Amino acid sequence: MPVLMPPAELPPHYYDQIRAQAAAVIVLEVAAVEAGPASPRGNATCQVEGRVTAVERGGQYTAGQQIRLAVPCITPDWDPVPGPWPGFRIATLSRTASGRAWLDADGRVVQRGFDIVTQTPGD
């Protein structure tokens, strides 16, 4: 039986290329972050809800539009293993005040396509 290895993290320039090919780039004011169910290893998908404040690329979105994005996240129980970046810690993502998202033509966040721009103060 073949041994299956987790996918490897790509060099940074690959993520730059993926972002460069994104159909849309938006900046959003984050109103809420909701964590989805976690895998046994602590990986999850968080739903980031907010309002578009700027459109930097594409014509699919407009300032003021409400949006909900699926963003990779991890729980405090995350079990680190070799492989690709697992996502933001839920506590970190929950303090996000604004973010920038690179989206494909279907409105999905591309791989490594969400950056935190500003955060509210943490504990």
Side-chain angles (χ1 to χ4, degrees):
M1 180 188 311
V3 175
L4 299 177
M5 299 297 291
E9 181 74 3
L10 298 171
H13 71 274
Y14 285 104
Y15 300 110
D16 291 340
Q17 289 174 358
I18 292 167
R19 287 179 173 198
Q21 295 171 0
V25 181
I26 61 168
V27 178
L28 66 146
E29 178 181 279
V30 175
V33 175
E34 179 183 319
S39 74
R41 298 196 84 86
N43 296 74
T45 299
C46 285
Q47 297 299 316
V48 175
E49 295 182 32
R51 181 180 60 84
V52 176
T53 57
V55 178
E56 297 179 349
R57 181 185 314 152
Q60 185 176 353
Y61 302 94
T62 58
Q65 180 179 349
Q66 296 296 315
I67 192 161
R68 182 177 175 102
L69 303 173
V71 177
C73 57
I74 55 175
T75 69
D77 298 330
W78 176 63
D79 183 17
V81 295
W85 177 77
F88 294 97
R89 293 191 181 280
I90 292 172
T92 301
L93 195 56
S94 295
R95 292 193 340 265
T96 301
S98 64
R100 178 172 284 108
W102 288 259
L103 308 171
D104 68 15
D106 295 321
R108 291 183 300 253
V109 175
V110 300
Q111 190 175 14
R112 282 290 194 89
F114 187 84
D115 284 347
I116 295 171
V117 175
T118 61
Q119 289 187 296
T120 59
D123 299 336

